[in-house]
Amino acid sequence: MMEPLSKKVQYNTNKLRKRLRRLVGTAIFDFNMIEPGDRVMVCLSGGKDSYALLDILRNLQAHAPLDFELIAVNLDQKQPGFPEHVLPEYLTQIGMPFRIVEQDTYSVVKRVIAEGKTTCSLCSRLRRGVLYRVATELGATKIALGHHRDDILETFFLNMFYGGKLKAMPPKLISDDGHHIVIRPLAYCKEKDLATYAEIENFPIIPCNLCGSQKNMQRQVIKEMMQQWDKKFPGRLETMFTALQNVQLSHLADNARYDFQELKPNGTPIADGDKAFDEEIFEPPIAELLPLTKNNLNEIESD
């Protein structure tokens, strides 16, 4: 028999639930992700993020003024040892309409990708194609994915460091086949909050054996870098995500996005004009200054 939660734990648990639901609701509103009459296909992998996504959307469905449908879809990729009973049992227990799609993408990935190479790219493309087809069959108007704020930032850095692009995961987009709207309602949610939420709700997590052991892949390197930043400089990840929502094309260098060639003075002040010779000053957040002790401050000054 489980012991009752302390008042402090109950308080923090309720606070976390409310925060995640508020952030998801805000993201849905900001990007008009779900509209009246939508049929939302929630892609459920068995990981903590997709479980949290489904749980929060179910709560919003029950309390929000919007009238929309939810259907959970899992792609059984035929990975060896995959516990096929877990998701059907869970979804049946909570009374959630669902569909399990069986497609052996695992064998394709293992056959095509050499041992030791990253499998995520091919696996993702194969999975995406199947899910688009299923969305059409189900008449889904939106496809909901469980990517969160940290996934979006990781993708941004991956594209910048390795792909030479300023590109991330948008909270809402048209699918590459042009037929579907893909939404990411967890766009404002932190991964560590979702991990805590999954523990609280005791979701039956299913690990991904296909790629989970690839510790040296580029995304894992980026993830560890961001975790170090978050620990050493609290608030930095929040500032970086804010930057993705505050793009100034006139201060980048993309001729295709901003017409630098035709840029001419007209004698009228403009909002995004440069301060000419002024060097931009960036003050570190207070949270970054607080960890400085007298000892390590002396070390910094002596370097």
Side-chain angles (χ1 to χ4, degrees):
M1 183 175 178
M2 293 182 63
E3 296 182 6
L5 298 176
S6 68
K7 289 185 177 180
K8 182 177 181 181
V9 172
Q10 286 180 338
Y11 173 79
N12 289 332
T13 296
N14 290 333
K15 189 175 179 181
L16 176 61
R17 284 196 182 103
K18 289 178 181 179
R19 179 166 69 250
L20 289 174
R21 290 168 184 173
R22 174 177 53 80
L23 289 171
V24 170
T26 302
I28 289 173
F29 175 80
D30 286 350
F31 297 95
N32 192 28
M33 292 184 183
I34 300 177
E35 301 168 273
D38 268 342
R39 190 172 205 214
V40 182
M41 186 180 98
V42 184
C43 298
L44 190 65
S45 66
K48 68 182 190 311
D49 305 323
S50 61
Y51 272 123
L53 172 64
L54 178 62
D55 188 73
I56 295 170
L57 287 180
R58 289 181 72 238
N59 181 269
L60 290 176
Q61 184 188 39
H63 298 95
L66 285 178
D67 180 22
F68 62 94
E69 290 183 67
L70 293 173
I71 181 168
V73 171
N74 169 256
L75 173 58
D76 180 354
Q77 299 176 269
K78 296 304 174 185
Q79 298 178 31
F82 181 79
E84 299 177 359
H85 64 284
V86 172
L87 286 172
E89 288 179 1
Y90 171 77
L91 294 168
T92 300
Q93 178 186 350
I94 65 174
M96 182 70 206
F98 68 92
R99 179 172 171 183
I100 305 296
V101 181
E102 297 184 7
Q103 187 82 40
D104 187 3
T105 62
Y106 177 86
S107 296
V108 176
V109 171
K110 299 303 285 184
R111 184 178 70 250
V112 174
I113 304 297
E115 190 69 30
K117 299 293 183 180
T118 303
T119 60
C120 289
S121 178
L122 177 59
C123 181
S124 177
R125 292 202 306 272
L126 293 172
R127 187 170 63 247
R128 185 166 67 236
V130 174
L131 292 174
Y132 287 168
R133 172 178 60 78
V134 174
T136 299
E137 293 173 359
L138 294 175
T141 54
K142 302 286 172 60
I143 301 174
L145 303 179
H147 298 121
H148 45 68
R149 183 205 68 176
D150 298 69
D151 287 324
I152 293 172
L153 284 173
E154 286 168 17
T155 302
F156 172 75
F157 284 115
L158 280 167
N159 278 305
M160 183 166 62
F161 292 166
Y162 303 109
K165 297 178 182 177
L166 287 181
K167 176 184 175 183
M169 287 178 174
K172 180 181 179 181
L173 73 156
I174 298 177
S175 60
D176 52 10
D177 67 358
H179 293 107
H180 304 283
I181 293 289
V182 177
I183 59 175
R184 295 183 170 102
L186 300 180
Y188 292 163
C189 300
K190 302 177 185 178
E191 182 175 18
K192 59 185 178 182
D193 281 349
L194 294 168
T196 302
Y197 187 71
E199 288 182 14
I200 291 170
E201 298 297 338
N202 198 27
F203 296 134
I205 305 298
I206 302 174
C208 176
N209 297 323
L210 182 61
C211 60
S213 60
Q214 296 180 288
K215 301 298 184 184
N216 295 321
M217 60 183 181
Q218 293 166 338
R219 182 172 289 277
Q220 185 63 29
V221 173
I222 296 296
K223 180 186 288 289
E224 291 172 0
M225 177 191 75
M226 288 173 48
Q227 288 173 344
Q228 291 173 7
W229 282 349
D230 192 39
K231 184 177 181 180
K232 189 174 182 180
F233 305 112
R236 175 172 288 186
L237 299 187
E238 285 77 4
T239 302
M240 291 191 297
F241 189 82
T242 299
L244 296 182
Q245 300 174 287
N246 187 22
V247 178
Q248 294 183 271
L249 291 175
S250 63
H251 285 56
L252 296 176
D254 189 341
N255 268 317
R257 303 292 177 181
Y258 192 86
D259 194 358
F260 289 100
Q261 294 191 2
E262 294 301 318
L263 194 62
K264 294 179 175 61
N266 59 14
T268 303
I270 58 175
D272 61 352
D274 200 357
K275 300 296 190 295
F277 300 105
D278 292 352
E279 182 179 354
E280 203 154 2
I281 304 298
F282 299 99
E283 294 291 342
I286 295 297
E288 292 194 10
L289 298 174
L290 288 177
L292 292 178
T293 64
K294 184 175 181 181
N295 289 337
N296 60 29
L297 184 59
N298 290 335
E299 291 175 6
I300 292 173
E301 292 175 342
S302 64
D303 284 344

